[in-house]
Amino acid sequence: MEGSFLTTFANAKINLALAIQGIREDGYHELQSVMQSIVLHDIVRVRRHGETVVCRCGALSGPRNLAYMAAVEFLELCGQSEGIEIEIEKHIPIQAGLAGGSTDAAATLRLLNQLYEEPLSKKELLALASRCGADVAFCLQGGTMWATGRGERLEQLPSVPKLNLVLIKPIDGVNTREAYRQFDLGGQRGLLRKMDWEKALSGNSVQQIAELLYNDLEPASIQLVPNILEYKQSLLDSGCYGALMSGSGSSVFGIAQGEQHAMQIAEKLRKKGFKYVWVTNTI
């Protein structure tokens, strides 16, 4: 049966903080992180179509796309065998530490659950999301979250005040596995305190939040893509309250002093020849 497309935004995420506690028995790293949704998004469309699952996403089309895998898992779980067509319009850069693939997978799960009239409860959908990938569960819920485990154990934090962000990405991306491998060679493990974050977020103070920005993977990813350091410095020199690499990189965000300020910084960076620059904010 042919259906019409259901459409949704798939928002990117940044990590306001990321600390690595060590390596778990399953080989993954034990994390602590403060995850935050931002306005930058892909657009995902899903409909019933044909006999098989098809995922169209430019150069990222096909079975290796996380959205494709999520759709296959969903259909199996719900005992459905009909064809599904997924179309993804990309705006979130890849290998940027912004959960581009995870958020597309989360959006696909959300739309499929809608398409089949909610066969899965919120809890079942979240469990399925965690199986698809570490950031998929967060992307399904969004907002401001304290994440532990591989990043799939989530607790609500007070909502972040609106942060105006300038987001820049070096031409080179960072492969997440490579970043962790580099970290394991000699990275310093840090520790986040949930209480500090609860206090800063409830206090609504942008400066206080900027002071808490932290990422254990930053030095490791800088070794892979040295530009990250230069990009971060550019944002700080432009008067941002704080700047940090997101996730495993290679993108870096700066917290601007307001929307006007963010636009000015972006303009300046583009003139300097920075190719990938976005002005966005937290949601």
Side-chain angles (χ1 to χ4, degrees), residues 52-67:
T52 55
V53 174
V54 174
C55 177
R56 294 203 178 84
C57 182
L60 307 169
S61 297
R64 293 186 59 184
N65 193 300
L66 204 51

Side-chain angles (χ1 to χ4, degrees), residues 119-139:
L120 301 183
S121 67
K122 196 176 169 194
K123 202 174 159 187
E124 290 168 322
L125 208 54
L126 276 170
L128 174 56
S130 320
R131 290 205 299 278
C132 291
D135 292 340
V136 183
F138 169 76
C139 292

Side-chain angles (χ1 to χ4, degrees), residues 19-23 29-30 183-184 186-191 214 216:
I20 298 170
Q21 309 289 281
I23 300 180
H29 289 74
E30 186 68 40
F183 175 85
D184 291 337
Q188 294 292 315
R189 292 178 189 178
L191 184 69
Y214 181 87
D216 273 341

Side-chain angles (χ1 to χ4, degrees), residues 20 34 87 90 98 105 113 115 131 136 141 143 156 167 176 182 189 197 208 228 230 244 248 250 253 257 271 273 276:
I20 298 170
V34 177
E87 279 185 4
K90 283 305 278 178
L98 300 172
N113 207 38
L115 192 65
R131 290 205 299 278
V136 183
Q141 286 183 281
Q156 197 89 41
L167 188 64
T176 303
Q182 191 67 37
R189 292 178 189 178
W197 275 96
Q208 239 183 327
I228 292 168
E230 173 206 332
L244 189 72
S248 54
S250 63
F253 64 89
Q257 295 172 30
K271 280 192 178 134
Y276 303 111

Side-chain angles (χ1 to χ4, degrees), residues 203-218:
N204 268 348
S205 155
V206 176
Q207 279 97 326
Q208 239 183 327
I209 290 166
E211 277 165 32
L212 286 177
L213 295 179
Y214 181 87
N215 188 343
D216 273 341
L217 280 176
E218 207 175 59

Side-chain angles (χ1 to χ4, degrees), residues 3-255:
S4 52
F5 278 109
L6 289 179
T7 303
T8 190
F9 285 174
N11 291 87
K13 69 95 182 127
I14 54 171
N15 301 76
L16 293 170
L18 174 64
I20 298 170
Q21 309 289 281
I23 300 180
R24 298 148 46 111
E25 284 174 9
D26 61 8
Y28 283 98
H29 289 74
E30 186 68 40
L31 308 176
Q32 287 178 311
S33 184
V34 177
M35 291 185 170
Q36 174 62 47
S37 318
I38 59 175
V39 167
L40 179 67
H41 61 270
D42 291 341
I43 297 171
V44 179
R45 301 182 182 88
V46 168
R47 68 168 174 168
R48 293 188 170 119
H49 180 74
E51 307 288 307
T52 55
V53 174
V54 174
C55 177
R56 294 203 178 84
C57 182
L60 307 169
S61 297
R64 293 186 59 184
N65 193 300
L66 204 51
Y68 176 100
M69 299 180 202
V72 169
E73 293 268 336
F74 178 93
L75 295 171
E76 259 173 40
L77 190 61
C78 297
Q80 297 288 348
S81 60
E82 60 188 332
I84 289 291
E85 187 175 7
I86 307 161
E87 279 185 4
I88 302 169
E89 190 183 305
K90 283 305 278 178
H91 298 284
I92 303 168
I94 61 165
Q95 292 200 333
L98 300 172
S102 300
T103 193
D104 294 343
T108 300
L109 291 176
R110 215 168 41 235
L111 290 177
L112 284 171
N113 207 38
Q114 219 179 311
L115 192 65
Y116 287 100
E117 289 163 2
E118 319 279 329
L120 301 183
S121 67
K122 196 176 169 194
K123 202 174 159 187
E124 290 168 322
L125 208 54
L126 276 170
L128 174 56
S130 320
R131 290 205 299 278
C132 291
D135 292 340
V136 183
F138 169 76
C139 292
L140 196 61
Q141 286 183 281
T144 312
M145 294 275 184
W146 174 259
T148 51
R150 291 184 302 142
E152 85 290 358
R153 286 210 301 274
L154 302 167
E155 298 164 63
Q156 197 89 41
L157 281 169
S159 290
V160 81
K162 182 180 175 183
L163 303 178
N164 293 104
L165 305 171
V166 180
L167 188 64
I168 47 181
K169 181 189 171 285
I171 288 168
D172 294 326
V174 172
N175 176 304
T176 303
R177 277 204 190 97
E178 284 301 312
Y180 278 104
R181 197 173 296 146
Q182 191 67 37
F183 175 85
D184 291 337
L185 293 174
Q188 294 292 315
R189 292 178 189 178
L191 184 69
L192 304 179
R193 284 160 42 118
K194 189 179 174 201
M195 226 170 61
D196 294 345
W197 275 96
E198 286 172 333
K199 201 171 145 193
L201 291 165
S202 337
N204 268 348
S205 155
V206 176
Q207 279 97 326
Q208 239 183 327
I209 290 166
E211 277 165 32
L212 286 177
L213 295 179
Y214 181 87
N215 188 343
D216 273 341
L217 280 176
E218 207 175 59
S221 294
I222 285 169
Q223 289 185 295
L224 300 170
V225 180
N227 285 33
I228 292 168
L229 189 56
E230 173 206 332
Y231 278 42
K232 185 181 176 180
Q233 200 50 54
S234 295
L235 289 168
L236 292 171
D237 293 345
S238 305
C240 284
Y241 289 127
L244 189 72
M245 181 185 84
S246 181
S248 54
S250 63
S251 73
V252 180
F253 64 89
I255 301 176

